[in-house]
Amino acid sequence: MLHVLYLVGVSAFAASGVLAAHRANMDPFGGLVLAFAAAVSGGTLRDLILDRDPLYWTQDWVLLTVVGSVGILTMVYLRFWKLPHRSLLLVDAVGLAVVTVIGARAAIDSGVTPLAVLILAVLTGVTGEVVRDILCGEFPPLLLREDVYATAAFAGALCYLLLDWLEVDQNPAAMVSAGLVFALRLSAMFLGLHLPRPHRDEEAG
C-alpha cells in the first residue's frame, strides 16, 4: 500500500515538473528532466543522508517507468488542452503530502531520532519542488514564497510520527497524515491561510 502511495506522490511531482517546464517554455526534453528531478530529488537527498546504498530509485524500474510515463502523458495533454488555473499548485500539494509521509516512514525504519524523522520527512517533501523551481529559473522557489509549505510538511510528519508511536497501522496513519498536509496546502491556497507575521510599528512623524 505504501509503495502504491509513493508512486502516486512521485507521479504528482513528475506532473508538476512538466507543468513548470511548460510554463517556462522548455522543450519536451526539458520537461522530462524536470519530471525526474522533481520526482526523485527528495528521496535521493534523504537516502544520501541516511547513507543508503544503492539509492532507492536506481533499483525500482516500476517507479522510473511511472515517472517517465506520467511526464510524457502530461506533455501530450498540454499539447491539446489547457490546464485549469492553479493546476501546478494542486498537483504539487499532492506530491508534497504523499512524499513527506513516505519520507517519515523511511526515517523511522532507519532507526533515527524523532527529531531527525521530522527533518528528513520535510526534506523529502520539499526538495523536489526546490530543485524544480531552480532549474526553471524561478526564484525564490515556492518553498520561500509560501509559508504554509514546509510547515504543512512538518505538521504531516509530526502527525505520522505520533500515530506510529501510538502503534496505528501504517496505511491509515499514512492516509491521515498525507490528508493533513494536503488540507493545509489547500487552505493556504484557497483561504489565504498563512503563519502569523510580525508587524513593524510605524515610525512616528
Side-chain angles (χ1 to χ4, degrees):
M1 172 62 181
L2 288 180
H3 187 65
V4 173
L5 193 63
Y6 197 34
L7 292 177
V8 171
V10 296
S11 295
F13 269 146
S16 78
V18 174
L19 292 174
H22 179 75
R23 191 170 61 181
N25 295 317
M26 291 186 177
D27 61 19
F29 180 75
L32 281 179
V33 169
L34 258 65
F36 279 97
V40 305
S41 293
T44 298
L45 178 60
R46 178 198 67 227
D47 283 1
L48 289 173
I49 293 173
L50 291 174
D51 197 25
R52 287 184 167 185
D53 185 33
L55 298 176
Y56 77 103
W57 56 267
T58 62
Q59 304 296 311
D60 193 342
W61 65 269
V62 174
L63 184 147
L64 295 176
T65 302
V66 167
V67 171
S69 299
V70 169
I72 292 171
L73 289 173
T74 304
M75 285 188 282
V76 171
Y77 185 95
L78 291 171
R79 177 67 177 80
F80 297 101
W81 295 283
K82 184 177 180 180
L83 286 174
H85 183 57
R86 289 184 171 173
S87 55
L88 174 59
L89 293 177
L90 285 172
V91 294
D92 184 81
V94 173
L96 176 68
V98 174
V99 173
T100 295
V101 171
I102 298 299
R105 182 71 257 166
I108 290 172
D109 290 342
S110 295
V112 300
T113 66
L115 180 58
V117 170
L118 298 178
I119 294 171
L120 287 167
V122 173
L123 287 176
T124 305
V126 307
T127 300
E129 171 274 326
V130 173
V131 171
R132 179 198 70 206
D133 285 359
I134 290 175
L135 290 176
C136 279
E138 187 170 340
F139 193 85
L142 182 63
L143 171 65
L144 301 180
R145 287 181 277 122
E146 293 281 346
D147 49 14
V148 183
Y149 193 88
T151 306
F154 180 84
L158 181 60
C159 177
Y160 188 82
L161 187 61
L162 291 173
L163 291 175
D164 182 75
W165 181 73
L166 293 171
E167 298 184 351
V168 176
D169 186 72
Q170 290 185 19
N171 291 337
M175 296 300 293
V176 169
S177 303
L180 174 62
V181 178
F182 188 70
L184 288 173
R185 280 298 299 140
L186 254 61
S187 298
M189 285 188 285
F190 294 104
L191 301 178
L193 179 66
H194 60 78
L195 299 176
R197 297 170 183 171
H199 297 281
R200 296 187 201 172
D201 293 331
E202 293 184 4
E203 296 181 3

